[in-house]
């Protein structure tokens, strides 16, 4: 546990944050789906419910943006979901108008199983941690994520200018 007196040591704080993020991401809630597969399927399901105009289609670029992945990384992940029979992958026209996915019946069933596991697991965690604590933690994480992203983008811009 990091002590308040150590707050002035930026390297210690940075190392502790990096370690906590790593360990937090190592927690495997379920063996049904990986976290990234679950999030991708949730994006597909959410798009299907909220965007009638897309007729159940979720475009790869939207998944890529929402998950903050490159198109190549997204394609690899989506390819794995397709191989497992969880989604169908197609394109509009000759492909230049967009590549999209739709969820299969099997994908829907597996997603629902994962939702049940997530609800049960986090229900217990939130009960022990406290709903107010969880909301506060999520708000702080969102603020930190926004700040870190802004700092990273600023750093990239400075490095790009130095390279010119």
């Amino acid at each position: 546990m990091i002590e308040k007196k150590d707050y002035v040591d930026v390297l210690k704080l940075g190392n502790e944050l990096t370690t906590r993020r790593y360990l937090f991401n190592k927690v495997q809630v379920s063996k049904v789906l990986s976290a990234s597969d679950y999030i991708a399927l949730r994006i597909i399901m959410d798009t299907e419910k909220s965007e009638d105009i897309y007729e159940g289609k979720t475009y790869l670029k939207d998944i890529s943006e929402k998950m903050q992945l490159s198109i190549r990384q997204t394609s690899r992940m989506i390819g794995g979901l397709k191989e497992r029979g969880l989604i169908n992958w197609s394109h509009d026209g000759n492909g230049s108008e967009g590549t999209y996915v739709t969820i299969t019946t099997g994908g829907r069933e597996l997603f629902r199983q994962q939702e049940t596991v997530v609800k049960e697991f986090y229900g217990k965690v939130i009960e022990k941690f406290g709903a107010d604590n969880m909301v506060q933690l999520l708000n702080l994480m969102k603020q930190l994520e926004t700040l870190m992203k802004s700092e990273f983008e600023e750093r990239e811009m400075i490095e790009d200018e130095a390279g010119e």
Side-chain angles (χ1 to χ4, degrees), residues 129-157:
F129 188 63
D132 290 342
N133 284 341
M134 184 62 81
V135 169
Q136 184 178 8
L137 175 62
L138 292 172
N139 283 329
L140 289 170
M141 287 172 73
K142 182 73 172 179
Q143 289 174 27
L144 182 59
E145 176 189 336
T146 301
L147 181 66
M148 289 173 71
K149 185 176 180 183
S150 173
E151 186 64 29
F152 182 76
E153 288 170 353
E154 185 177 312
R155 184 180 188 151
E156 278 189 326
M157 194 168 54

Side-chain angles (χ1 to χ4, degrees), residues 45 85-88 102-112:
M45 294 286 285
L86 304 177
I87 60 157
N88 294 314
T102 55
I103 195 161
T104 64
T105 302
R108 246 179 250 294
E109 289 173 15
L110 201 57
F111 178 78
R112 296 289 181 226

Side-chain angles (χ1 to χ4, degrees), residues 35-87:
S36 59
D37 289 349
Y38 175 69
I39 291 168
L41 289 177
R42 185 176 52 93
I43 290 168
I44 295 165
M45 294 286 285
D46 288 350
T47 302
E48 187 177 85
K49 283 186 225 170
S50 65
E51 303 291 339
D52 292 338
I53 60 171
Y54 292 130
E55 301 169 345
K57 301 174 184 176
T58 303
Y59 287 87
L60 225 59
K61 68 177 179 55
D62 295 328
I63 297 169
S64 175
E65 288 172 10
K66 289 177 181 174
M67 293 185 71
Q68 297 181 5
L69 296 171
S70 68
I71 289 293
R72 176 177 281 161
Q73 292 168 316
T74 305
S75 294
R76 195 174 317 124
M77 179 185 55
I78 292 300
L81 293 172
K82 182 182 184 302
E83 285 176 14
R84 292 169 56 198
L86 304 177
I87 60 157

